[in-house]
């Protein structure tokens, strides 16, 4: 029975890993069947999977979550850009309507002036009165009429040109919105595909026994510690000693106060966060709004050398900028790791660093 139980567990793991790799992503090969001892009792049964097997599971899950983070960021950015562009189109449409109303009002005013001048023989009432007593006042009245007519004509010309420009801008904005919407749909499909793999990863992890999940977490810690040790030994942070700015200190205080709260995709607090939700809200608390996603934080915020970083700076991870943590000093970051994990402190070099950005530079 014990052999059958272990064989079933091995098959489950292999099938789950096969599902995770079913979309053609380059990942580790399926885990081989464990070879349990037939002489052991259920109470003393050996681990169903070796550390090497679980290490493959860890790498699979880590890769999937990182890809999911990048896909989620890309979708969030595409959605934000589409909504912003839609808002711009609404503003332009309102400006066109307002412009049309102003043109109509000005035309009515010019028409009223023309009708009045026709009835009075082309002279304003003031000029007619001045004619009987003072020729100079009469000429002044005529000049004012001409100036008024010229100003109205010039304003009408400007308004018509502005209206044409607004209509052109609106056409361009609409065409741009269509491109952005196409990209949003594309990113939504990519996110949906990744999310299907994430559900498979979560199911795989949930099917592990408690001892196996504990070992999996220990493997995560071991991998992080190994990377952190290598990073510190490289001398990359040998001379890092910058002190936090006032804003940086406030951001660090906010971020560290969230330690222990769970990671949730797309969450911005107060009960849960994703990685960039934590960093963006921390800097918002420091009265310095920054982009929402880790990819945009990397793209738009000022970059600095690692040797110059100080608490409050953001460290961007992986080649696709799919993760971010906040440097808190002493070679550590506070970050929201991934689903199933809580906001925590970690070694700043525990993941592959892409670069460092400073929100208040």
């Amino acid at each position: 029975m014990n052999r059958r139980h272990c064989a079933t567990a091995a098959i489950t793991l292999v099938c789950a890993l096969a599902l995770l790799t079913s979309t053609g992503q380059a990942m580790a090969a399926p885990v081989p069947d464990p070879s349990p001892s037939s002489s052991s009792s259920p109470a003393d049964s050996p681990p169903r999977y070796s550390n090497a097997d679980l290490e493959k599971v860890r790498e699979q899950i880590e890769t999937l979550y990182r890809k999911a983070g990048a896909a989620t960021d890309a979708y969030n950015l595409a959605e934000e850009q589409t909504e912003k562009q839609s808002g711009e189109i609404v503003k332009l449409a309102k400006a066109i309507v307002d412009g049309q109303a102003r043109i109509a009002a000005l035309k009515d005013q010019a028409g009223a002036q023309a009708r009045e001048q026709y009835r009075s023989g082309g002279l304003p009432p003031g000029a007619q009165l001045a004619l009987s007593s003072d020729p100079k006042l009469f000429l002044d009245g005529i000049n004012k009429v001409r100036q008024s007519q010229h100003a109205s004509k010039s304003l009408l010309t400007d308004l018509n040109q502005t209206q044409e420009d607004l209509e052109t801008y609106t056409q361009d904005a609409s065409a741009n919105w269509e491109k952005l919407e196409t990209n949003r749909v594309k990113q939504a499909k990519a996110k949906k595909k990744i999310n299907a793999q994430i559900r498979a990863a979560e199911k795989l992890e949930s099917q592990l026994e408690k001892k196996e999940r504990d070992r999996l977490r220990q493997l995560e810690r071991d991998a992080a510690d190994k990377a952190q040790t290598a990073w510190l030994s490289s001398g990359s942070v040998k001379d890092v000693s910058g002190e936090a700015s006032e804003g940086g200190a406030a951001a660090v205080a906010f971020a560290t106060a969230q330690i222990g709260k769970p990671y949730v995709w797309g969450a911005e607090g107060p009960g849960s966060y994703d990685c960039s939700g934590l960093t963006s809200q921390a800097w918002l608390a420091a009265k310095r709004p920054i982009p929402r996603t880790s990819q945009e934080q990397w793209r738009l915020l000022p970059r600095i050398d690692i040797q110059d970083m100080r608490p409050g700076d953001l460290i961007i991870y992986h080649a696709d900028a799919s993760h971010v943590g906040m440097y808190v000093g002493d070679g550590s970051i506070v970050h929201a790791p991934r689903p199933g994990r809580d906001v925590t402190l970690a070694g700043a070099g525990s993941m592959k660093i892409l670069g460092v950005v400073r929100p208040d530079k």
Side-chain angles (χ1 to χ4, degrees):
M1 290 297 293
N2 189 46
R3 180 183 296 275
R4 181 181 301 172
H5 174 72
C6 292
T8 300
I11 292 171
T12 299
L13 183 62
V14 171
C15 291
L17 287 175
L19 175 62
L20 294 183
T21 58
S22 63
T23 59
Q25 307 232 12
M27 299 180 187
V31 177
D33 291 355
S35 301
S37 170
S38 59
S39 62
S40 57
S41 65
D44 300 322
S45 61
R48 297 184 299 173
Y49 313 119
S50 68
N51 280 356
D53 296 336
L54 287 178
E55 177 62 17
K56 290 179 181 178
V57 173
R58 183 194 69 78
E59 291 175 354
Q60 293 275 18
I61 291 175
E62 181 180 296
T63 298
L64 282 173
Y65 281 128
R66 184 173 60 78
K67 289 182 179 293
T72 300
D73 272 4
Y75 172 77
N76 289 342
L77 176 59
E79 186 175 46
E80 179 183 336
Q81 289 175 333
T82 303
E83 290 179 356
K84 183 178 179 181
Q85 188 68 14
S86 180
E88 289 298 318
I89 293 173
V90 171
K91 289 179 182 178
L92 286 169
K94 184 178 183 301
I96 288 175
V97 172
D98 292 343
Q100 289 172 338
R102 290 184 64 192
I103 289 174
L106 190 60
K107 285 181 176 179
D108 288 344
Q109 180 182 345
Q113 289 177 344
R115 289 190 296 273
E116 176 62 27
Q117 290 175 30
Y118 176 78
R119 287 194 296 269
S120 61
L123 299 177
Q128 292 180 20
L129 292 173
L131 181 60
S132 62
S133 59
D134 190 337
K136 182 179 179 182
L137 291 178
F138 167 73
L139 293 175
D140 287 343
I142 291 294
N143 287 334
K144 288 179 180 178
V145 170
R146 289 173 178 169
Q147 290 172 3
S148 177
Q149 291 174 334
H150 180 73
S152 296
K153 183 178 180 181
S154 178
L155 180 58
L156 192 58
T157 299
D158 290 343
L159 283 174
N160 280 322
Q161 182 61 53
T162 299
Q163 198 73 353
E164 290 178 8
D165 291 343
L166 283 172
E167 290 173 359
T168 300
Y169 296 153
T170 302
Q171 292 174 358
D172 292 342
S174 297
N176 191 34
W177 179 86
E178 290 179 1
K179 291 180 181 179
L180 291 173
E181 176 62 10
T182 298
N183 183 53
R184 187 196 68 79
V185 172
K186 176 183 176 182
Q187 297 301 337
K189 290 180 179 178
K191 182 172 178 254
K192 184 177 180 180
K193 182 183 293 185
I194 289 292
N195 285 344
Q197 291 184 309
I198 290 301
R199 287 191 292 273
E202 290 172 341
K203 183 177 180 180
L204 169 60
E205 191 169 358
S206 70
Q207 290 175 341
L208 296 174
E209 294 180 352
K210 183 179 182 304
K211 288 182 179 180
E212 293 162 346
R213 290 196 297 271
D214 290 342
R215 287 167 59 208
L216 189 64
R217 286 193 177 226
Q218 185 58 52
L219 288 172
E220 289 178 2
R221 289 191 289 269
D222 291 345
D225 290 346
K226 182 179 180 180
Q228 174 74 352
T229 299
W231 183 63
L232 293 175
S233 300
S234 70
S236 298
V237 289
K238 179 181 179 182
D239 299 321
V240 174
S241 59
E243 295 184 2
S245 63
E246 182 178 352
V252 167
F254 179 94
T256 52
Q258 313 313 310
I259 289 175
K261 294 182 179 180
Y263 182 110
V264 173
W265 290 118
E268 300 177 84
S272 58
Y273 297 88
D274 65 12
C275 65
S276 55
L278 176 66
T279 54
S280 60
Q281 287 300 305
W283 272 102
L284 184 62
K287 297 181 171 51
R288 181 62 71 97
I290 64 174
R292 169 63 177 85
T293 69
S294 60
Q295 292 169 336
E296 286 298 277
Q297 289 170 6
W298 173 243
R299 188 173 74 88
L300 297 175
L301 295 179
R303 300 179 185 180
I304 62 170
D305 292 334
I306 289 180
Q307 292 83 356
D308 298 327
M309 69 181 177
R310 65 192 186 196
D313 290 341
L314 306 182
I315 302 181
I316 310 296
Y317 294 95
H318 310 304
D320 54 4
S322 57
H323 191 70
V324 59
M326 178 177 292
Y327 185 64
V328 296
D330 296 327
S332 298
I333 59 168
V334 58
H335 73 141
R338 67 168 178 85
R341 302 293 183 261
D342 299 331
V343 176
T344 187
L345 290 173
S350 58
M351 296 166 282
K352 187 173 180 57
I353 293 175
L354 178 61
V356 182
V357 296
R358 176 166 295 165
D360 61 345
K361 183 175 179 181

